[in-house]
Structure formats: C-alpha cells, structure tokens
Amino acid sequence: MIAMAIQIESERFLIEERDRIAEELHDRVSQQLFGIIYAIQSIKGDGNMNDEQIRQQMQVIQEAAVTASRELRETIYDLSSRKNGNASWLGNVKSQLANLAKLNGVHIRFNAPAFGNNLSISHQRALYRIMLEGVSNAIRHGSSSSVEVGLMLKRGIVMLTIVDDGRGFDPGSPKPGKPGSGFGLSNMRKLTESLGGKLEVNSKEGDGTLIRVWLPRAGVNTIR
C-alpha cells in the first residue's frame, strides 16, 4: 500500500510538473515565436513596404528573437536546476521560510547542509510541505517568536526537526484549535507515513514544541 501511495503521488507530481512546464513555455517562449512568425509573414505579404519600413520590422523581429532565446535559456536553466541538484529546492525552501518570517515578524533559522546525493522528488515534496505546515502551526497556533528548522542526513535517513519557543500544548489531550488536533499536524503525519517514515511530537503547555521527522532515503521500509 505504501509503495502504491508513493507511486501515485509521484505520478501526480509529474503530471503537475509537465503542465507547469507547458504553461511556462507557452507564456515565456511561444508568444514571442508567434510574434516573430507573424512579423515575417507581414513582410512577405506586404509589397508596399519601403526599405526603411522593412529595416524597422527586421529590427523588431531581431529583438523578439533575442527575447525568445533568453526566455528559453532561463526556462531550461530552471528545469535543469530542479532536476540536477538540491540547490534550487533548498533555495526555494529558504525563500518561503524567509517570506513567512517577514510576513509574521518572527525569527526563522534554517539549517540544511548541502547533500552529497539528491533527494527524490517525493522526499522533496513531502519535506517541503511538512516544513511549511510545521512552521505555520508554530506561528499561528503556538504564537512563536522564534522557530528553528533543521535538515540532515544520517545513516540513510533524512531527519527533519522543527523547534519553536511558542506556548506549546499537551499532545495527549488535544483541544479544538490546538496544533495537536488540527488538520495540519494530521496531514504532516500522513505525508511522513506515506514514505515509510515516523513523526514525533514533543510539547507541553508553556514550553514550546519539538517536531522530529525521520524518512528512509531509499525504498519504502517503515521506520519504527
């Protein structure tokens, strides 16, 4: 069941990524190419254009071609960065956490050494969602002023920690509106378990919250 869940999630992500790439190419490149084709056809079909008008139109075509070439290179570079390393993914995580910090006036520290090997798309997707959900819970429900997020590799396991200085809660006695009873923590647990991982929550009222997530890097062996 876990393997099937991972496969379904990966396939859904690939479909979404394919659609996103198609939209990027359409918005950033195709429109420029259509404009170039139209401009060339107008020159060929208009026998009344003088040399100066043709020169000006050719200048427009050249500028459009340069723009299309630049947009295509940027799109390819973005895709290559996502495919060939964690730098782009980690950069996106850092950017999102920085935005959360600015929007909510809190201090967020992110520690994530460069990995020797890339994480799978499924791991990147799950960890990204878990991190953002965990930090958002710390801010919204825990009224935290400081959150520390750590990511590391250890013995073939990806380990994520989220520590906050918020008001905390009693995980054994969830109450309405508290992080322990909300959809956020439940969703984090489901994402973790879908990859054969384990999620642990340590918290008590008035003493902040510590969340630990362990995910196996290869296969679907469940961590117990």
Side-chain angles (χ1 to χ4, degrees):
M1 292 294 292
I2 295 176
M4 182 178 295
I6 294 174
Q7 181 180 356
I8 292 173
E9 179 70 9
S10 296
E11 290 177 353
R12 185 168 70 86
F13 180 81
L14 289 174
I15 291 173
E16 292 176 355
E17 188 72 358
R18 182 192 63 191
D19 292 342
R20 184 191 62 77
I21 292 170
E23 290 178 0
E24 279 196 22
L25 289 173
H26 179 269
D27 294 340
R28 299 177 64 175
V29 181
S30 294
Q31 297 301 326
Q32 295 287 345
L33 294 178
F34 289 147
I36 291 171
I37 293 171
Y38 178 81
I40 293 174
Q41 290 177 340
S42 68
I43 293 176
K44 292 173 62 177
D46 190 346
N48 297 321
M49 295 180 68
N50 57 41
D51 291 344
E52 178 60 21
Q53 290 174 324
I54 293 176
R55 189 194 65 78
Q56 291 177 357
Q57 191 73 344
M58 291 299 296
Q59 180 66 30
V60 171
I61 292 173
Q62 182 179 4
E63 292 173 357
V66 170
T67 300
S69 178
R70 183 181 66 250
E71 296 284 3
L72 183 58
R73 284 197 305 271
E74 290 176 358
T75 301
I76 292 173
Y77 177 81
D78 290 344
L79 296 176
S80 179
S81 297
R82 293 188 184 100
K83 178 181 178 181
N84 295 323
N86 290 93
S88 178
W89 177 70
L90 288 175
N92 191 33
V93 172
K94 291 177 182 178
S95 176
Q96 291 299 324
L97 293 179
N99 287 337
L100 282 175
K102 291 179 181 179
L103 288 172
N104 296 278
V106 301
H107 176 72
I108 300 176
R109 183 179 178 185
F110 180 50
N111 296 310
F115 298 142
N117 296 305
N118 297 333
L119 294 173
S120 70
I121 292 176
S122 296
H123 281 74
Q124 290 182 10
R125 185 181 182 89
L127 288 168
Y128 179 80
R129 292 169 63 183
I130 291 170
M131 278 187 275
L132 293 188
E133 190 68 56
V135 172
S136 296
N137 282 346
I139 296 171
R140 291 197 309 266
H141 303 298
S143 300
S144 304
S145 61
S146 179
V147 185
E148 184 166 344
V149 181
L151 195 61
M152 66 169 55
L153 300 181
K154 186 177 180 180
R155 298 178 183 176
I157 294 173
V158 184
M159 182 177 177
L160 168 67
T161 59
I162 304 173
V163 186
D164 69 64
D165 65 349
R167 60 191 180 192
F169 66 101
D170 181 1
S173 301
K175 299 176 182 179
K178 297 290 184 180
S181 61
F183 173 76
L185 188 57
S186 174
N187 196 35
M188 291 163 63
R189 194 178 300 279
K190 288 178 181 178
L191 282 168
T192 301
E193 293 175 350
S194 73
L195 290 174
K198 177 183 177 182
L199 183 144
E200 179 183 281
V201 179
N202 292 312
S203 182
K204 64 179 181 180
E205 294 186 2
D207 198 27
T209 300
L210 166 61
I211 297 175
R212 290 192 183 98
V213 174
W214 295 270
L215 294 177
R217 293 192 61 202
V220 292
N221 297 323
T222 301
I223 297 175
R224 300 184 184 280

